[in-house]
Amino acid sequence: MKNIMIEATEIAMTLGEGAARVEALKGINLSLAGGELTLLMGPSGSGKTTLLSVLGCMLSPTSGTVQIRGRSTTGLNAEQLAEVRRDNVGFVFQSYHLFPTLTAAENVRLSLDVRGERSSRARVKAETALATVGLSHKANAFPRALSGGEQQRVAVARAIVGDASVILADEPTAALDSENGHAVMTVLAEIAKDAARAMFIVTHDPRIMPFADRILRIEDGRIVNDQRRGANLSAVRTLKYAS
Amino acid sequence: MNLILTLASRNLFHDRVRLIATVVGIVFSIVLVTVQLGVFLSFERMVTTMIDHAQADFWIVPAETKSFEESSLLAGRERLQALSVDGVTAAIPVVVGYASWRKPNGGASTPVLVVGAPTTAPGLQPWNVVEGSPDDLSMPDGVAIDRSYFEQLGIAQIRGRAEINNQKARVVAVTNGIRSFTTTPHVFASIERARAYLGVPPNRANYYIVRIAPNANAAVVRSRLAAGLSDAEVLTSDEFRHRTRVFWLFDTGAGAALLGSAILGIIVGTIIVAQTLYSSTKDHLKEFATLRAIGSSCRYILKVILAQALISAVVGFAIAAAIDLALVRMTSDAALPIVMTPELTVGLFGLTVVMCAIAAISAIRVVTRIDPVLVFAQ
């Protein structure tokens, strides 16, 4: 039986008002299981980032419910949503969003610091996370001294250091060349094998598809296709990440 | 080190131009406030210097006297009335008034404040006497002046001669550090010479310094003194000090001007620091949005902003304090030196911290409204 980490039910999201009113999400139903890497693909403006924001508890849906590890986020205020993110969600952003004035290790440790974890154990956890992404030797480097791929791997370490049950990644390879993109995806795919963690990646990049256990397609705020590894996904698995 | 402090300090020191602007704002503000408050304190002390150095248990002063320098004459009977009260051991007359000092080698006259008291009683004698002695004031035409006024009064050395209100004066004693808070020098004389210079009739005086027996009940003595007096008041030294300070500092507007400038300094400093903190926060908005996205509480972000403000405060105050110390040394011999007390120093540090914390409000308003979704914007 699959371990459901996040479950969205009948999610609708309306943005803007009056003439600018847009129905960004229309009745989305979605469950993400631990140990599974799910891709969300779709054209620009289809609602990918909005759905990511809702699943990541950054936006509250206009209607519908989101449950993270069985806890409903309905009705929570901004501080309570931040607490849910802190305890359950790790983010990886397209532009990395590392703090330029902090070293790689400090950037990773920040995720623990906001949770009040400041003991020497926090340092060890940060070192372990950096080791997981293969950057132990760059722990004291500042972001400006790292390549794009290395910066993204630091961002991945920051996302996993707090043992988040859901990792949400927004176009994690979009700013990277093929080699670095492949390296980052290899790390993410490895992390996604952990049954205690669901990974959800929004992407335009078809080269990522071979890493997926499941691919969702979204158009006009609706999920129009849901393929799982196996017969349906075997076709896309033949695609190789260019190198 | 705590990551909040690390992040705050590196955010600050990362942008050195902005840091310099912030620190300059704080330094400018605190130095201005220190100068104004230091002069205020100095002024506050100097206006009561005569009262501070008089050996008085009580002062008998004309009714509605506003300050030591500004008073009318008492009727003259107060001395005997005071001496008739049980417990009073002495009622020592003091004469005070402005006069014209004519330099020995001609030239323009200079106004002086003549202070006269008996040379035989310990009421109000010149202090810090560095040449001659207070007893020498009993010599014919003898006066005492401060050596810092030699040039202004046309005196080259002790035994120099001049005229006060067209009467002879001879410097027989020289003091060090008895400076007036105005440009008018003090001139000490015997009570008789002071009366002569100022045209005060014998047995009249501006004040009586009352001394009481050690075992006397001060409250009872005061009550009996006051009961016997008309058109005069009985004040303790503290009350006379307070009245003099209120007059010079607030009734004349001098103190209000100093405090006004100090407040202006605080406002200007706060605005400069607020502006730089605000623009710094705006520049780091995506970082703060990232913090929010990874689950930091608003309180955590507020701590980062406040830590930036406090680090700015400490750096700015340290530089301002060094400048203040230099100013204190440079003005130590001035007519109105800047006074820096430990209490003022601690108070100024507190003020710096509060100023920077208030300055952080605009930045805090920005980050508390921050939308974590901002991290998705390219």
Side-chain angles (χ1 to χ4, degrees):
Chain A
M1 183 178 170
K2 285 185 176 176
N3 189 10
I4 300 300
M5 295 297 168
I6 187 163
E7 185 163 22
T9 309
E10 289 299 320
I11 297 295
M13 187 75 195
T14 305
L15 301 172
E17 290 179 2
R21 184 182 161 96
V22 175
E23 287 187 68
L25 300 176
K26 301 166 186 168
I28 301 272
N29 290 293
L30 174 65
S31 296
L32 299 177
E36 207 170 59
L37 193 158
T38 305
L39 296 188
L40 178 66
M41 306 185 81
S44 293
S46 58
K48 297 190 299 293
T49 302
T50 305
L51 179 57
L52 189 75
S53 302
V54 170
L55 295 177
C57 302
M58 290 193 199
L59 285 178
S60 295
T62 309
S63 64
T65 59
V66 174
Q67 287 193 325
I68 296 184
R69 293 176 70 187
R71 180 187 177 187
S72 172
T73 61
T74 304
L76 298 185
N77 62 30
E79 278 305 293
Q80 291 166 326
L81 288 172
E83 188 186 333
V84 172
R85 289 196 296 274
R86 189 159 65 230
D87 294 340
N88 300 286
V89 185
F91 284 99
V92 179
F93 307 107
Q94 178 180 339
S95 307
Y96 328 132
H97 289 312
L98 298 180
F99 288 72
T101 57
L102 299 181
T103 64
E106 288 166 342
N107 265 289
V108 175
R109 202 147 52 86
L110 198 58
S111 217
L112 301 172
D113 204 67
V114 299
R115 298 160 65 155
E117 287 187 44
R118 288 167 191 148
S119 62
S120 55
R121 195 162 161 263
R123 287 178 190 275
V124 173
K125 285 171 93 171
E127 286 165 12
T128 306
L130 276 175
T132 303
V133 298
L135 285 176
S136 293
H137 60 297
K138 297 285 177 111
N140 295 319
F142 286 92
R144 64 176 176 274
L146 300 174
S147 70
E150 287 172 332
Q151 288 187 56
Q152 194 61 296
R153 280 149 66 194
V154 173
V156 171
R158 181 177 65 188
I160 64 171
V161 71
D163 296 325
S165 46
V166 181
I167 303 291
L168 302 177
D170 179 39
E171 305 274 10
T173 59
L176 304 176
D177 59 25
S178 324
E179 187 181 345
N180 277 308
H182 185 267
V184 166
M185 278 314 300
T186 302
V187 167
L188 286 173
E190 192 60 32
I191 291 166
K193 289 177 183 169
D194 185 348
R197 197 177 269 150
M199 183 154 316
F200 186 73
I201 299 175
V202 166
T203 186
H204 274 109
D205 188 350
R207 296 170 301 180
I208 291 180
M209 292 166 73
F211 295 95
D213 298 306
R214 181 183 179 195
I215 298 177
L216 303 173
R217 292 191 186 277
I218 186 168
E219 284 177 22
D220 296 327
R222 285 196 176 88
I223 292 178
V224 294
N225 196 355
D226 184 351
Q227 295 175 293
R228 288 188 179 274
R229 184 192 290 268
N232 291 343
L233 204 55
S234 58
V236 293
R237 281 179 61 78
T238 58
L239 284 169
K240 292 292 179 191
Y241 209 103
S243 59
Chain B
M1 186 164 51
N2 187 322
L3 272 182
I4 290 175
L5 278 180
T6 305
L7 190 56
S9 60
R10 295 209 190 137
N11 273 356
L12 275 178
F13 289 98
H14 184 66
D15 188 344
R16 291 189 184 158
V17 173
R18 186 174 283 126
L19 175 65
I20 289 169
T22 306
V23 169
V24 165
I26 295 169
V27 169
F28 167 81
S29 175
I30 296 305
V31 169
L32 181 60
V33 172
T34 306
V35 168
Q36 300 303 319
L37 293 183
V39 169
F40 183 90
L41 278 183
S42 175
F43 195 54
E44 190 181 43
R45 288 181 181 182
M46 291 183 83
V47 295
T48 62
T49 187
M50 291 294 169
I51 302 168
D52 295 340
H53 286 88
Q55 298 173 50
D57 293 310
F58 294 112
W59 293 75
I60 295 176
V61 307
E64 298 180 8
T65 293
K66 290 183 174 177
S67 74
F68 179 83
E69 290 78 10
E70 308 283 337
S71 89
S72 54
L73 288 171
L74 290 163
R77 58 180 177 275
E78 293 86 354
R79 181 167 181 269
L80 290 177
Q81 285 176 310
L83 289 172
S84 69
V85 173
D86 280 347
V88 172
T89 58
I92 301 154
V94 175
V95 168
V96 178
Y98 290 97
S100 177
W101 173 286
R102 183 180 292 167
K103 296 176 185 176
N105 52 357
S109 295
T110 300
V112 293
L113 183 73
V114 175
V115 178
T119 56
T120 51
L124 180 54
Q125 307 285 352
W127 61 97
N128 289 351
V129 176
V130 291
E131 286 187 84
S133 104
D135 294 340
D136 294 340
L137 292 178
S138 58
M139 294 166 69
D141 308 326
V143 296
I145 62 172
D146 196 83
R147 65 179 175 193
S148 60
Y149 291 119
F150 272 12
E151 188 178 346
Q152 186 179 343
L153 297 177
I155 297 297
Q157 57 187 15
I158 192 167
R159 287 184 292 281
R161 292 176 180 276
E163 285 185 4
I164 299 175
N165 282 354
N166 298 320
Q167 298 175 59
K168 289 179 182 173
R170 187 162 61 103
V171 177
V172 295
V174 176
T175 61
N176 180 36
I178 303 181
R179 293 192 61 97
S180 162
F181 57 93
T182 65
T183 54
T184 307
H186 292 133
V187 174
F188 289 91
S190 67
I191 186 76
E192 295 81 10
R193 287 307 303 154
R195 281 178 174 140
Y197 290 141
L198 298 171
V200 174
N203 302 322
R204 301 282 301 272
N206 296 88
Y207 307 111
Y208 286 107
I209 289 173
V210 176
R211 306 196 64 186
I212 65 174
N215 59 352
N217 183 321
V220 172
V221 171
R222 179 183 183 169
S223 168
R224 287 178 181 165
L225 274 172
L229 297 173
S230 59
D231 298 328
E233 297 176 82
V234 180
L235 303 177
T236 62
S237 289
D238 280 345
E239 289 168 343
F240 199 14
R241 262 192 287 271
H242 176 71
R243 193 175 286 198
T244 298
R245 280 177 185 149
V246 167
F247 174 74
W248 285 111
L249 291 171
F250 300 106
D251 290 356
T252 65
L258 290 169
L259 289 179
S261 298
I263 291 168
L264 194 65
I266 295 168
I267 292 171
V268 170
T270 305
I271 290 171
I272 292 174
V273 178
Q275 203 279 330
T276 49
L277 272 179
Y278 177 80
S279 61
S280 167
T281 304
K282 292 282 269 186
D283 281 0
H284 291 101
L285 218 48
K286 280 216 168 172
E287 290 170 28
F288 289 119
T290 303
L291 270 178
R292 200 74 175 123
I294 66 174
S296 98
S297 62
C298 255
R299 178 180 287 195
Y300 187 92
I301 298 176
L302 296 192
K303 284 180 183 174
V304 175
I305 302 275
L306 282 175
Q308 281 184 228
L310 293 183
I311 292 167
S312 305
V314 170
V315 173
F317 180 80
I319 296 171
I323 294 172
D324 289 340
L325 276 177
L327 288 174
V328 167
R329 287 187 183 170
M330 282 166 59
T331 61
S332 59
D333 291 328
L336 205 53
I338 296 167
V339 172
M340 191 87 172
T341 63
E343 294 82 3
L344 179 61
T345 308
V346 172
L348 282 171
F349 180 67
L351 180 72
T352 312
V353 170
V354 170
M355 185 179 83
C356 289
I358 289 172
I361 287 174
S362 58
I364 287 169
R365 282 169 60 90
V366 171
V367 294
T368 51
R369 294 172 180 176
I370 207 162
D371 189 346
V373 175
L374 196 64
V375 292
F376 295 122
Q378 297 307 310

